[in-house]
């Protein structure tokens, strides 16, 4: 996919609602923005959405709302990921839901409407009453049915030293890391590393590290070759109950419940 599609086709007709359903196997979508707001639904795996300030983790069977004029790049975690996109014109005075990034679990009503429209591609205009009334209702239902947005974002570090630490954590996610030992490895005191996380990322080391482990587990849980205990071990948890409880606190469901989202509704 090239940038021409995103920079010209979506916004070519400002008043239209634009439908685009991706097939499996797409590698990534380069950084871009739209004048329209974007509904992005994923299944079959995790999608990484990178903005100027951080990386958002869009889990399977969840959707992300991206407001107009927000620059972002899209990286599916594997070739098994399927993405469904709808682009809506959003008025400046629209409700706050449409003006902030959010990640939400999909509900059965939205799934049914997506399935009904899965073969629609391109612009839907108001004069196409049979189609437009459905996608316009979909836009309204997003705001009316949305639960609390899941906080599935990790900010980008601006400090070079912290970037090295975070890369190390990502590459050695299978190990359990404690702040004093980690700081020592990078020739810092634990207090200085703690302050670096707070000042640079506006979150504590433990919060960042915990979220990183759980976000990494989202991808592993889609792999049928690993049972849940093995997934826990691969993200550095020696206790399955601790992993399950931490996962539930962040995701609002147990790892076993999330694993059920491997089911694919939209086949190529």
């Amino acid at each position: 996919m090239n940038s021409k599609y995103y920079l010209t086709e979506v916004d070519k007709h400002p008043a239209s609602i634009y439908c685009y359903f991706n097939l499996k196997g797409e590698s990534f979508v380069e950084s871009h923005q739209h004048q329209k707001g974007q509904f992005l639904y994923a299944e079959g795996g995790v999608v990484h959405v990178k903005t100027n300030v951080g990386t958002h983790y869009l889990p399977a069977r969840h959707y992300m709302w991206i407001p107009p004029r927000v620059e972002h790049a899209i990286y599916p975690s594997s070739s098994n990921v399927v993405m469904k996109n709808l682009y809506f014109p959003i008025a400046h005075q629209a409700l706050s839901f449409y003006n902030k990034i959010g990640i939400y679990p999909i509900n059965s009503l939205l799934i049914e409407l997506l399935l009904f429209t899965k073969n629609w591609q391109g612009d839907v205009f108001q004069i196409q009453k049979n189609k437009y009334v459905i996608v316009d209702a979909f836009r309204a239902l997003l705001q009316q049915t949305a639960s609390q947005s899941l906080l599935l974002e990790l900010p980008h570090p601006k400090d070079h030293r912290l970037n090295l630490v975070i890369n190390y954590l990502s590459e050695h996610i299978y190990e359990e890391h404690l702040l004093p030992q980690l700081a020592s490895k990078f020739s810092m005191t634990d207090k200085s590393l703690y302050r670096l996380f707070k000042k640079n990322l506006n979150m504590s080391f433990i919060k960042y590290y915990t979220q990183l482990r759980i976000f990494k587990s989202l991808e592993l849980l889609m792999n049928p070759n690993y049972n849940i205990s093995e997934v826990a071990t691969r993200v550095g948890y020696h206790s399955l109950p601790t992993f399950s409880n931490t996962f539930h606190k962040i995701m609002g469901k147990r790892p076993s419940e999330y694993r059920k989202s491997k089911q694919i509704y939209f086949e190529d």
Side-chain angles (χ1 to χ4, degrees):
M1 178 178 302
N2 57 42
S3 60
K4 181 182 177 182
Y5 156 70
Y6 285 98
L7 298 178
T8 63
E9 297 305 310
V10 169
D11 293 325
K12 182 183 267 186
H13 302 287
S16 75
I17 296 172
Y18 196 92
C19 306
Y20 185 80
F21 288 170
N22 305 56
L23 301 178
K24 290 182 183 178
E26 188 160 27
S27 55
F28 77 97
V29 180
E30 63 193 34
S31 187
H32 63 285
Q33 61 177 291
H34 322 284
Q35 295 303 307
K36 294 176 181 175
Q38 179 178 356
F39 164 91
L40 170 61
Y41 167 75
E43 61 181 35
V46 177
V47 175
H48 303 150
V49 180
K50 297 185 179 182
T51 67
N52 292 331
V53 295
T55 297
H56 299 262
Y57 293 77
L58 176 59
R61 299 280 291 280
H62 288 66
Y63 71 88
M64 182 172 181
W65 176 259
I66 305 172
R69 296 170 292 283
V70 171
E71 189 166 330
H72 59 285
I74 299 173
Y75 298 82
S77 62
S78 78
S79 59
N80 295 321
V81 175
V82 177
M83 294 181 289
K84 307 297 176 186
N85 304 271
L86 293 170
Y87 303 85
F88 299 95
I90 302 297
H92 290 294
Q93 67 272 25
L95 295 171
S96 62
F97 170 88
Y98 300 103
N99 290 305
K100 60 186 178 183
I101 290 176
I103 293 177
Y104 310 89
I106 196 81
N107 60 57
S108 57
L109 177 56
L110 294 177
I111 282 287
E112 288 299 324
L113 287 173
L114 281 181
L115 286 167
F116 186 80
T117 62
K118 70 177 183 178
N119 294 321
W120 297 2
Q121 293 281 16
D123 294 291
V124 177
F125 299 99
Q126 283 185 296
I127 58 172
Q128 299 169 281
K129 292 183 179 179
N130 290 341
K131 285 187 173 183
Y132 193 88
V133 69
I134 293 172
V135 286
D136 196 40
F138 189 94
R139 168 173 46 190
L141 285 168
L142 291 177
Q143 182 270 327
Q144 292 179 30
T145 63
S147 55
Q148 183 74 23
S149 175
L150 297 173
L151 301 177
L152 305 181
E153 177 195 1
L154 288 176
H156 294 157
K158 297 176 183 177
D159 188 286
H160 174 66
R161 296 168 298 167
L162 191 54
N163 201 43
L164 292 175
V165 173
I166 286 172
N167 286 341
Y168 179 82
L169 287 174
S170 296
E171 292 168 4
H172 297 81
I173 198 71
Y174 52 87
E175 301 175 7
E176 187 172 13
H177 300 281
L178 300 176
L179 184 63
Q181 289 83 348
L182 187 65
S184 177
K185 185 172 186 65
F186 288 89
S187 303
M188 287 186 269
T189 66
D190 52 345
K191 289 183 178 179
S192 62
L193 183 56
Y194 178 85
R195 286 196 295 266
L196 198 57
F197 269 91
K198 289 292 288 184
K199 181 179 179 180
N200 204 249
L201 302 180
N202 199 31
M203 65 170 61
S204 67
F205 161 74
I206 191 63
K207 182 176 181 180
Y208 186 96
Y209 177 44
T210 299
Q211 291 187 177
L212 178 65
R213 295 162 95 182
I214 296 303
F215 296 166
K216 291 282 188 181
S217 77
L218 293 173
E219 298 175 21
L220 295 172
L221 285 167
M222 292 291 101
N223 189 330
N225 295 323
Y226 305 134
N227 62 39
I228 294 176
S229 181
E230 289 171 323
V231 170
T233 300
R234 285 177 174 271
V235 293
Y237 283 94
H238 300 305
S239 165
L240 180 56
T242 300
F243 168 66
S244 181
N245 290 338
T246 305
F247 189 97
H248 182 267
K249 184 177 180 180
I250 292 174
M251 296 299 301
K253 60 181 68 175
R254 297 286 173 185
S256 55
E257 295 176 86
Y258 176 72
R259 171 154 268 185
K260 295 175 184 177
S261 64
K262 287 188 298 185
Q263 177 186 356
I264 300 293
Y265 285 128
F266 298 88
E267 298 291 348
D268 293 355

